[in-house]
Amino acid sequence: MTTDSKELKIKRILIANRGEIACRVARSCRSLGIESITLFTEKEKELPHASVGDFGFNLGEGSLAETYLNISKIIEICKEKKVDAVHPGYGFLSENSVFANELEKNGIVLIGPSAHSMELMGDKKASKISMEKLGVPVIPGYHGEDQSHAGLKKEASKIGTPLLIKATAGGGGKGMRVVHDLNEFDSSLDSAKREALNAFGNDQVLLEKYIVNPRHIEVQVLSDSHGNHFHLFERECSIQRRHQKIIEESPSSALDDKLRKAMTEDATKISKHINYLGAGTIEYILDEDGSYYFLEMNTRLQVEHPITEAVTGIDLVKEQIRIAGGQKISFKQEELQQTGHSLEVRLYAEDPDNGFLPSIGDINYRGIPSHGVRLDTGYNDGNKVTIDYDPMLAKVIVHKATREESIREMSYALNSIPFLGIKTNREYLMRVLDHTEFKKGVTFTHFVNTYEDDLKKVELNSTQKAKAIATYLLNGGKHDFNVEQADAWSQLSGFRN
Ligand code: ADP
Ligand code: ADP
Ligand code: MG
């Protein structure tokens, strides 16, 4: 691998985020010899991200707007602490062009793309128009000017059902409604617009043909300021609940070399066309017949970036920092390979047996990941999980030679980190991993709905409960134990098989 000998001018970075991603970015800063400053709020003093950097800044109390989304306050901190650059993580201000512009005005480097790229790609309508012009396939539908109810309804009847109403400013699966029957169009449009206005302060929508059985495939891209626009292959993120990813893998079992080449070449064509800078992701929908369509570009580091790091051996955060410092990407496209298979699951504080409702509580035993497993988390034993932030507790990443081995390794890994004390989706994830169709690689975005019955919790009978208690005691019996949540302990002993 080649490295640029030019010394990196970035010496101190402010991480404008929280939780696992703040911890993860701090780790790469440390290994590059860069100082990091993290932010936390009064209630988060005990959380790892408060103390993981060289310095932690207390944002005090208040709403999100007063803390993590408070642009003027964050700029003030940057100036006071004399930081050279800001890493925004994902979510929060990571795709906020106002923030990008403010940083630039103040001579602070944003570790990310230009405000222009963010604006273009943050608008699903503008980006679709731009992609159409470039000759990249987009999902058929309506992304014109007319936002009137009557006009949209007319367009909807032209597209036909099923169709998808989507907020142009959307993200995180919000502001989307599937319409199966045109009679439902009016109420779906109203609720999509209401949700979009609430979440994004913008109620514009577009309409798309709803692809019935697709896979979600995305390509990681990386561009520097020296004209290099590279890709780091694909990730498949078809296992989703409420349009949000919960299991991701690389490589995808759906791509052959020809399709991989076409999708990755289109991805680098897009970055080149928009003169992109830094790390980004081109998301596609892959239809059953092998056609693929551009979905959106995320102009930031993605939650699931670690699986790409695993199969390529590239630290994406280090690359982001080097690029922001004006250096070249540290490798050449032709040097990159996908090695083995990597799987990530997102552990959420939520109740899969009750509509995936977020849950709260104290983590009284987190656990220690089994050897060779990557655990990216913002929580330790004893930490409180509140409703104030995203319910994601941790990401668990494994990397093995084959998909089959990765799946087995992941089930094992999940046993080692029970996150006791709160309801989580951990056992639910294990049930997905254990599903025959998942094991066969027959994954699609409605997997979770299609196999809803198969994925339901198996109620333990009294003998099984007794065995679970015995297993728990045999395993040390040191931490709190709830027999109603004893599924994992029962799996540990293998008696369910
Ligand atoms: P990824 O493709 O990386 O999984 P997601 O769309 O799931 O991205 O979003 C990642 C995180 O950012 C989630 O915590 C999500 O809630 C948050 N997020 C994404 N887009 C927005 C947005 N426009 N506004 C607020 N939060 C967002
Ligand atoms: P967000 O910005 O919220 O991530 P996306 O446009 O990326 O929104 O879509 C999120 C998910 O919704 C996709 O991964 C896919 O599962 C589903 N989806 C989006 N558009 C379509 C479509 N036209 N047909 C079928 N599924 C879709
Ligand atoms: Mg998306």
Side-chain angles (χ1 to χ4, degrees), residues 134-200:
L134 185 63
V136 174
V138 300
I139 305 168
Y142 177 73
H143 39 272
E145 282 303 311
D146 190 354
Q147 285 289 315
S148 74
H149 207 110
L152 287 168
K153 193 160 185 183
K154 204 169 123 203
E155 293 297 336
S157 59
K158 277 195 224 162
I159 299 164
T161 54
L163 71 88
L164 188 66
I165 305 172
K166 203 185 261 190
T168 60
K174 291 193 201 96
M176 279 199 271
R177 291 291 180 281
V178 186
V179 180
H180 293 285
D181 180 334
L182 281 178
N183 289 325
E184 300 160 8
F185 184 81
D186 295 329
S187 61
S188 300
L189 180 63
D190 286 341
S191 73
K193 277 182 173 279
R194 215 177 313 122
E195 190 172 298
L197 193 63
N198 248 329
F200 318 112

Side-chain angles (χ1 to χ4, degrees), residues 383-394:
N383 287 159
K384 245 184 198 1
V385 179
T386 66
I387 46 155
D388 299 330
Y389 302 102
D390 193 277
M392 192 172 81
L393 291 173

Side-chain angles (χ1 to χ4, degrees), residues 124 164 166 171-173 208-209 211 216 240 243 283 296:
K124 292 191 199 282
L164 188 66
K166 203 185 261 190
E208 278 178 1
K209 178 181 149 200
I211 314 283
H216 174 115
Q240 310 180 343
H243 303 297
E283 296 191 336
E296 64 164 346

Side-chain angles (χ1 to χ4, degrees), residues 200-215:
F200 318 112
N202 174 345
D203 71 352
Q204 292 219 3
V205 296
L206 52 81
L207 307 175
E208 278 178 1
K209 178 181 149 200
Y210 189 62
I211 314 283
V212 177
N213 239 348
R215 297 195 189 222

Side-chain angles (χ1 to χ4, degrees), residues 220-245:
Q220 175 72 53
V221 291
L222 202 56
S223 303
D224 64 20
S225 54
H226 302 264
N228 294 308
H229 298 280
F230 295 166
H231 73 82
L232 288 89
F233 305 101
E234 83 281 6
R235 294 183 286 256
E236 174 166 348
C237 319
S238 297
I239 308 296
Q240 310 180 343
R241 54 110 183 76
R242 288 206 220 103
H243 303 297
Q244 269 192 347
K245 305 154 185 169

Side-chain angles (χ1 to χ4, degrees), residues 90-92 95 169-174 200 218 244-245 283 298 300 302-304 346 390:
Y90 53 74
F92 290 156
E95 291 170 286
K174 291 193 201 96
F200 318 112
E218 57 185 35
Q244 269 192 347
K245 305 154 185 169
E283 296 191 336
N298 291 327
R300 54 168 164 91
Q302 203 95 339
V303 174
E304 58 276 18
R346 301 192 194 184
D390 193 277

